[in-house]
Amino acid sequence: MTALSAPAPAARPRLTGWLLRLHRPALYVWTALVLLTAALLLLLHGPMADAAAESWRRYDACGFDTTCAYGQSAILRYKDWYNYATLAAALVPFLTAAWAGGALLGKELESGTARLSWTQSSTPVRWLAVRLAAPAVLVTAGTGLLAWLHYLAWTAGRGRIDSAKDWYDIGTFHTSGPVLVALSLAGLAAGALAGLLWRRTLPALASGLLLTAVIWGVHLELLPHLWPTLGRSGHGYVASPSGSWTVSHGGNAARYHVTYHPYAHYWPLQLTATAVLLTVTALLTVGCFVVLRRLTGKAATR
Amino acid sequence: MTDTAIAASALGKRFGRRGGWALRDCTFRLPAGRVCAVVGPNGAGKSTLLALAAGLLGATEGELTVLGTTPAGARARIGYVAQDKPLYPQLTVAETLRMGADLNPGHWDAAAAERITAAGDLDPKSRVRALSGGQRTRVALALALGKRPELLLLDEPMADLDPLARHELMGVLMVQAAQHGTTIAMSSHVVAELEDSCDHLLLIGGGRVRLAGEIDDLLTAHARVAVPADTDLAPHTVVESRTTGRQLSALVRPAGPLPDDWHAATPSLEELVLAHLRNPEAPVLTPAEEAVA
């Protein structure tokens, strides 16, 4: 056994392993959040949706009989827990942003441990790349699973449970497809940028959250216009078809028109919104590296 | 391998586009194998200079060569300990050293690093967050020395150590320098702290290099004289002079032999440093630079 304990001179510094070690509590919390929400979504998809659907079937069978027992509690249970699951999934982009801004980068830059890492044998650029890539993989895996299960839980109720959410419900739309993944990645990049800009934990945490909220808000404004709407017009009041998302309506008694997205636009809207959000994420990521380069000069890359 | 550890020419660093210059027009050369004291008052630019040499900051202007290449190119061969000894508080001492091994593959000396922590009676299983300031310094030094650096940059390394630990860790550094030929540059605003251990001096004041060279050369290039008040000190360069009654005490750079009745004496390092800091208009002296040129 010689004094040199390292295996081979060409071995690469193992940054990812140590990143996971340093943020082990966050990793545990993330795993727990994903597993619990996933379990809840599986329950919603299976037994809870079935029970609520059965209650709705009995309710419809009851007709006008007010004394008829149809099991309202199953309906309410499905509705409540569905909302909790949606909320948990919808909060992920914000949780990611707060963590990335505060714990992942703000704290390291504030306490100087970033400099400690930069004076080991790998470059600041690689340091940042690992700090963005590893969480991005975990966030993608976790939110991907949640979005898929949420979509299943929602479709399990669609058409069977009268109180199930519409496809264009803000919570449901944003947690039942790749949009959730893209929003979470945008939150990660926004938090990281805030951390690099502030180099302090609390301001970075707060502005990471704020930036993510702004992205979310602008995205909500743009969402209906990301795919061409259908339109109807005519004399008197014209309604959009049942189950479609009314984007605009107006006019006068002579001519009334309405624009809407039918359910068929669900995936086109999901995919274009995802593409837009991923572009924003890419820009924020480039911003992160630009700021890092400004911090460390030309030294960043070599 | 190069015989110059750090060479700076017209080096300058400004923070922000409109910020003040933390360091400006710095030209000096630190030969390899030296133990160099980077001395100057608080806010003089010592930390900025060490961070530039460590590749943590980009220079705004000028050239900086470290171990024959750019600071970033020499990253794997440089050990650096920042002033506040940042470490990950959630890791144990043993984990911190293991991280050093993993992040510096190919040139990690686990035995050397463990020797330093063991000498401080540090429990490898205790968390960094539970350590005292001195113990943290020890772990930070172990992390820097475990890297087997050719150049060790230490920013105020001894500031939060008790005299005993200071003496012992200084001993560790001296052994490192002697055994491995490691060049050490350490900053301090307490000159006395470095006087015994360093053989090279870099005095920084107001963001500029005031003195740079071998301490012995610098001391012999100056003389403390005591003469009657009406004596003309020319042609010698006067760094500082003070008149008390009919007596004139001065620190001069002799241009030639001094008259015997001037009572010339070699100044102490502290006197030399203080005289230059009190008199910013005193001309810069960098003997090593002149010798090279």
Side-chain angles (χ1 to χ4, degrees):
Chain A
M1 180 79 195
T2 62
L4 288 174
S5 68
R12 296 203 357 133
R14 291 171 42 203
L15 282 120
T16 312
W18 282 99
L19 177 70
L20 296 180
R21 167 63 192 90
L22 291 171
H23 293 281
R24 203 154 63 186
L27 187 63
Y28 289 166
V29 168
W30 175 236
T31 310
L33 178 76
V34 169
L35 290 182
L36 287 176
T37 314
L40 175 57
L41 286 167
L42 282 174
L43 284 177
L44 281 165
H45 168 64
M48 288 167 91
D50 291 344
E54 172 61 20
S55 291
W56 274 110
R57 196 191 56 72
R58 291 215 296 269
Y59 175 82
D60 292 339
C62 285
F64 294 101
D65 178 1
T66 50
T67 59
C68 176
Y70 59 89
Q72 191 190 28
S73 59
I75 293 173
L76 292 179
R77 201 181 313 120
Y78 175 83
K79 191 176 165 198
D80 286 347
W81 287 103
Y82 180 89
N83 284 340
Y84 298 149
T86 304
L87 185 68
L91 280 179
V92 168
F94 295 93
L95 289 176
T96 313
W99 173 78
L104 181 65
L105 289 172
K107 189 164 147 235
E108 281 224 27
L109 289 157
E110 182 173 24
S111 67
T113 46
R115 287 186 148 201
L116 179 74
S117 305
W118 300 346
T119 46
Q120 306 307 311
S121 294
S122 48
T123 64
V125 161
R126 206 163 118 64
W127 170 86
L128 180 59
V130 166
R131 265 156 183 75
L132 291 176
V137 168
L138 291 171
V139 163
T140 304
T143 51
L145 176 70
L146 290 187
W148 176 59
L149 291 178
H150 198 284
Y151 181 74
L152 290 186
W154 174 72
T155 46
R158 182 168 184 262
R160 289 202 295 163
I161 300 170
D162 285 13
S163 59
K165 297 283 186 190
D166 294 312
W167 65 269
Y168 50 85
D169 167 70
I170 288 182
T172 299
F173 184 84
H174 288 93
T175 51
S176 306
V179 164
L180 178 67
V181 182
L183 260 177
S184 304
L185 291 175
L188 176 69
L193 183 62
L196 285 160
L197 284 173
W198 277 104
R199 280 168 273 147
R200 286 190 289 138
T201 310
L202 279 178
L205 188 154
S207 47
L209 276 176
L210 187 70
L211 186 53
T212 308
V214 169
I215 293 171
W216 163 273
V218 172
H219 155 80
L220 277 186
E221 283 299 309
L222 290 179
L223 182 61
H225 312 293
L226 291 180
W227 198 253
T229 51
L230 301 182
R232 275 181 177 181
S233 52
H235 296 291
Y237 182 73
V238 183
S240 49
S242 147
S244 61
W245 179 19
T246 305
V247 176
S248 74
H249 55 88
N252 49 42
R255 188 162 183 81
Y256 197 88
H257 62 86
V258 55
T259 59
Y260 61 91
H261 286 294
Y263 179 51
H265 286 186
Y266 180 82
W267 286 109
L269 279 171
Q270 279 277 351
L271 294 176
T272 34
T274 302
V276 169
L277 286 167
L278 287 180
T279 310
V280 171
T281 307
L283 291 175
L284 290 169
T285 308
V286 170
C288 287
F289 284 99
V290 169
V291 174
L292 180 74
R293 197 188 161 83
R294 253 188 40 209
L295 278 180
T296 58
K298 275 180 276 178
T301 42
R302 279 172 294 171
Chain B
M1 210 50 200
T2 159
D3 60 347
T4 303
I6 306 179
S9 95
L11 184 68
K13 173 67 188 176
R14 180 166 57 171
F15 289 102
R17 211 156 285 164
R18 263 163 294 177
W21 289 89
L23 213 58
R24 187 122 208 226
D25 209 17
C26 286
T27 302
F28 67 91
R29 191 181 85 91
L30 172 62
R34 298 296 197 283
V35 179
C36 175
V38 182
V39 175
N42 290 325
K46 304 186 294 288
S47 295
T48 305
L49 178 64
L50 291 176
L52 282 167
L56 291 171
L57 295 173
T60 311
E61 57 176 37
E63 290 288 325
L64 181 63
T65 309
V66 176
L67 300 171
T69 174
T70 60
R75 194 185 305 279
R77 296 146 64 201
I78 300 176
Y80 170 83
V81 176
Q83 195 166 350
D84 42 5
K85 323 289 178 308
L87 292 167
Y88 291 104
Q90 67 268 48
L91 299 185
T92 65
V93 173
E95 279 178 316
T96 303
L97 297 187
R98 228 173 24 248
M99 181 180 76
D102 281 349
L103 296 188
N104 300 289
H107 49 95
W108 181 257
D109 185 346
E114 275 156 27
R115 252 197 320 275
I116 296 173
T117 53
D121 278 334
L122 283 181
D123 179 3
K125 286 198 269 304
S126 55
R127 303 235 170 234
V128 167
R129 82 159 51 84
L131 300 182
S132 71
Q135 290 171 319
R136 284 172 60 106
T137 302
R138 195 176 280 279
V139 177
L141 272 176
L143 198 55
L145 281 173
K147 211 179 159 184
R148 276 247 164 113
E150 289 168 45
L151 171 65
L152 190 55
L153 302 164
L154 307 172
D155 198 353
E156 302 269 358
M158 305 297 165
D160 44 13
L161 293 182
D162 62 71
L164 203 63
R166 186 174 299 193
H167 187 258
E168 196 246 307
L169 277 180
M170 203 57 114
V172 169
L173 293 178
M174 293 309 114
V175 167
Q176 174 79 16
Q179 284 185 348
H180 303 282
T182 309
T183 311
I184 301 179
M186 59 178 123
S187 74
S188 177
H189 55 271
V190 187
V191 179
E193 192 174 288
L194 304 169
E195 192 163 8
D196 301 334
S197 352
C198 299
D199 44 25
H200 201 93
L201 178 77
L202 190 61
L203 175 64
I204 300 182
R208 284 161 199 268
V209 172
R210 309 295 316 288
L211 285 174
E214 300 296 300
I215 290 177
D216 289 345
D217 293 351
L218 290 172
L219 291 178
T220 49
H222 292 83
R224 194 159 36 83
V225 296
V227 292
D230 55 354
T231 311
D232 180 13
L233 293 172
H236 312 294
T237 308
V238 180
V239 176
E240 181 182 52
S241 70
R242 196 184 311 137
T243 315
T244 338
R246 278 175 292 169
Q247 172 98 350
L248 174 70
S249 326
L251 186 84
V252 298
R253 271 181 217 157
L258 296 171
D260 284 345
D261 59 351
W262 278 25
H263 308 289
T266 308
S268 74
L269 183 61
E270 185 137 31
E271 282 171 330
L272 185 70
V273 165
L274 287 177
H276 279 84
L277 290 179
R278 278 195 293 258
N279 299 276
E281 69 282 359
V284 168
L285 182 63
T286 56
E289 204 46 48
E290 282 152 26
V292 170

